[in-house]
Amino acid sequence: MDLSKISIKLRPRNGYAAIDLGTRMAQRNLKLMLISFIIVSLPLYLVLLFIFPERPLLITFFIWWLKPLWERPLLLILSRDVFHQATHLKEVLKFSLTNNYKQWFQSITWRRFSPTRSFDAPVVQLENLSGKVRRERLSALHSRSPTAISGITFVLHLVEALMTFGVMLFILQFIPNDIEWILFLEQVFTNTGLDLFYLILSLCWYLAMVIVAPFYVAGGFSSYLNQRSIREAWDLELVFRQLANKHTKKKFDYKNLVAALLVCIFTFSVPQGISSEQPANNETTKVDAYAKEKANSRQAIQQIQSGPEYKRVEQTWEFRKINPDKPKEEDPEKKNKSNSNFDKGLAKTLSWIFLILLVIFLLYKLPAIIEYFDSGAKAKNKNLKDINKPEQLFGLDLKQENLPDDIVQEAQALWQAKQQREALGLLYQASLSKLIHDFDCEFEDGFTELECQTIVSRMQLPLKDYFAELTSIWRLLAYGHQLPTSEIFLQISSQWPEHFEPKNDPNAEDDSSIKNTQQAASQMETDNE
Amino acid sequence: MLDNTSKVETPEGIELPLEVAGVVPRALAYIIDLLIFVILNYTIALTMGLLGNFGEGLYLILFFILFWLYPVIFEVFRNGQTPGKKALGIKVVHQDGTPISLNASFVRNILLSADFLPFFYTTGFISMMLHKDFKRLGDMAAGTLVIYTEKENKEDPIPKVKPKAPTFALSLEEQRSVLSLAERHQQLSKARQDELSNLLPEKLFPANTDNHNRLKQLHAFANWLRGN
């Protein structure tokens, strides 16, 4: 086994992800695997169908029961593909005729219904383990994610069953009831004692079996690889080996390599090598050497098999009775009878109480439930709202805290200081800021003045006419460089508070603002003169 | 290299691997959701049955809403996870990895009925088993993926040794592997750890480091890499 030739990405995966990788492995070899499964199982199916034509379902059931044997060639294909080795159909055939009988009896009897069947298969077929060693090896490999391993058996059996009926309904849908040939066929079938329905069902079952088998085998094999890769850190080995190659270049440290490879190599290749290798020569020395080597390697194998890769140490704890129990001297039947009426009443009452409590609980928890579903959306909305409140529009700072307290006074002061542009700018800026923060206008970054105005008038705010006027004056000044007259500015600035400022005490406010404007007006007139 | 991921490339040229979930976890998640649906449906039917004809009508409306909107509501508002998906640690996202939108969720769940045909999700199963990213028809139409939720990346403890800078240059992957060897020090057998550290050529370690101390050296490097 040479990890540098491996064709799957090595990394520790969770149990389900390993199965998914298996699905991709099956997809890559799907055609070959389907054909192989059909080649090895179809002959028997057809022969049995020919011999016992009146029992089609039973025949498929028989084929189904022997499925572990049909799956072995598929595992062969996959185990080669993992190391970029292509398999030919010829080899599959040869394998299924000669090498397919390892522990066949166990695999179709008590191991047939093991929920981890496809996961366990490689241990027998590729690692050649049996008996106690196999059991301990399996329990060591099962220690992680056992739910996922049986999950694949459960789900794919379900898929197989559902698909059987799915394919059958699909076929039946396409057979019109009134076509004559079907009547003719039916007649043939009834005359020969065959039932068309059961025959179709049998075929569909077989078809579903063919479709599902590659994915089942691949899922189990991939989980098996994943477990080994995690336990033996294959991913690290690959990287370290590449690193070593990079540094040593041509010089190779065979000693280390041999030592490191021992555990890995042996599992896939050594036992097979032993079983297939035969002494070609009859010379006694060679035979002796061979026997010696065999003994040595057997010893090595035993040594390795006593190692932690083949054992599983588990700490468990359980409750134990400290005092042996004292048996109660009562006739259980008698007790049951006397209690049964009482029990019924109690159960009824309890269930009513439970129901009422449940309703109360749900009502009580209703806000929390709504919150549960709402929280995600709310958080999103909240963020959106905050984000969408722009801090700047066309270069004007719109943060509330950066504005002066008394905007009108400030603006008029600026105007008198001949900074007309700044004065009107401040007024407009303050208006936008108020619109965003107090009136909740949804301005977005990059809006123009007219777009803001459109939004304000669309919202039907009472100040929309005022804002329109302010906007047009501002635009004339900002882009057209046309100063409004002092009267217009005064008028518009004195109107500003009544539109934008909250009216706590309208009379007092109005008075003071009127006074202010009058004063300012008279002052300005004198200035102009 | 075969992997169970779907790669998304960002405009910056960064490849994000999304670990796609296949038939088995998705079927199990669906079974859990189906059980919840049946229980909810049964409860509603029992309650509405008490209300006579009106209740019957109301039940039909509620059934319609529950049947079509149960997955949509959970997927859109609960981070792409129905209760079943949450139990299995998977979620729905757009195929570019962004959170699922209402439109996409609606499309993929409406098309669940197409995957159902001709009998109990035969089409869906076949489609998921044959598609590279394990998509059913609804996923293809809506442009969505079902992926594993990433676990929080909590740091595994590594043996505390006095940190030491590696004596040789390490690529990112090699750094990760050295760190990972230290992180897995409790999962791997001692013999295997020694074996792995002996894979590295001698000259990478300080002179006179015997085989047994190499692992310790690597742990020291790991401590340095983590910044302890």
Side-chain angles (χ1 to χ4, degrees), chain A residues 97-113:
Chain A
L97 288 176
T98 58
N99 214 356
N100 207 2
Y101 307 108
K102 238 179 266 166
Q103 303 180 33
W104 65 274
F105 185 70
Q106 292 97 311
S107 64
I108 59 166
T109 47
W110 58 86
R111 283 185 208 153
R112 175 64 183 86
F113 293 99

Side-chain angles (χ1 to χ4, degrees), chain A residues 109-378:
Chain A
T109 47
W110 58 86
R111 283 185 208 153
R112 175 64 183 86
F113 293 99
S114 153
T116 56
R117 198 180 88 227
S118 66
F119 180 90
D120 302 348
V123 175
V124 172
Q125 191 180 327
L126 303 177
E127 292 190 34
N128 258 332
L129 298 182
S130 58
K132 193 169 163 251
V133 188
R134 174 187 163 276
R135 265 199 310 281
E136 282 177 349
R137 173 75 165 157
L138 279 181
S139 87
L141 287 175
H142 283 177
S143 56
R144 258 169 261 248
S145 64
T147 45
I149 303 168
S150 25
I152 186 178
T153 309
F154 172 68
V155 169
L156 287 189
H157 271 96
L158 201 67
V159 171
E160 192 183 299
L162 295 174
M163 209 177 269
T164 306
F165 292 104
V167 174
M168 176 147 149
L169 282 178
F170 186 74
I171 293 171
L172 290 184
Q173 273 170 8
F174 282 88
I175 299 180
N177 291 327
D178 48 4
I179 279 188
E180 278 178 25
W181 65 265
I182 202 84
L183 286 175
F184 169 73
L185 267 183
E186 248 169 45
Q187 217 150 34
V188 172
F189 275 106
T190 40
N191 285 344
T192 50
L194 273 176
D195 197 328
L196 189 58
F197 177 81
Y198 286 115
L199 186 69
I200 292 178
L201 187 62
S202 159
L203 280 168
C204 289
W205 188 2
Y206 180 73
L207 195 62
M209 212 151 62
V210 172
I211 295 170
V212 168
F215 296 95
Y216 183 59
V217 177
F221 180 52
S222 166
S223 304
Y224 162 82
L225 285 180
N226 185 44
Q227 284 306 312
R228 284 199 59 185
S229 165
I230 290 175
R231 291 184 64 82
E232 294 161 29
W234 285 1
D235 49 336
L236 302 187
E237 179 177 333
L238 191 60
V239 174
F240 283 0
R241 199 153 277 186
Q242 280 161 359
L243 179 67
N245 276 347
K246 207 165 67 182
H247 280 270
T248 45
K249 284 190 183 138
K250 278 171 196 169
K251 232 175 96 186
F252 222 82
D253 194 346
Y254 281 101
K255 233 189 236 170
N256 274 347
L257 186 71
V258 169
L261 273 175
L262 239 160
V263 170
C264 299
I265 281 182
F266 128 82
T267 40
F268 269 144
S269 59
V270 170
Q272 227 149 14
I274 289 169
S275 60
S276 60
E277 237 175 73
Q278 291 295 329
N281 222 315
N282 276 343
E283 289 173 44
T284 45
T285 47
K286 269 203 173 171
V287 174
D288 277 354
Y290 176 70
K292 211 174 183 183
E293 199 184 308
K294 202 171 170 182
N296 280 344
S297 49
R298 187 152 288 162
Q299 206 178 353
I301 289 170
Q302 271 169 5
Q303 204 178 345
I304 288 164
Q305 282 185 349
S306 61
E309 273 73 28
Y310 289 82
K311 291 264 154 43
R312 176 181 177 187
V313 183
E314 218 175 51
Q315 273 189 333
T316 56
W317 62 277
E318 56 186 25
F319 288 113
R320 282 201 181 157
K321 277 183 187 169
I322 296 173
N323 292 327
D325 46 349
K326 298 162 194 164
K328 281 179 184 172
E329 301 287 328
E330 254 181 283
D331 187 15
E333 228 171 272
K334 206 176 165 187
K335 202 184 166 193
N336 274 350
K337 253 183 195 170
S338 64
N339 274 351
S340 63
N341 270 341
F342 175 69
D343 280 352
K344 254 186 205 165
L346 188 70
K348 220 174 186 181
T349 323
L350 278 180
S351 59
W352 273 112
I353 290 172
F354 173 73
L355 200 68
I356 291 164
L357 283 179
L358 186 73
V359 170
I360 292 172
F361 176 76
L362 280 180
L363 284 179
Y364 174 70
K365 279 281 173 191
L366 198 61
I369 294 169
I370 292 170
E371 176 97 341
Y372 176 76
F373 279 105
D374 218 23
S375 57
K378 229 182 210 167

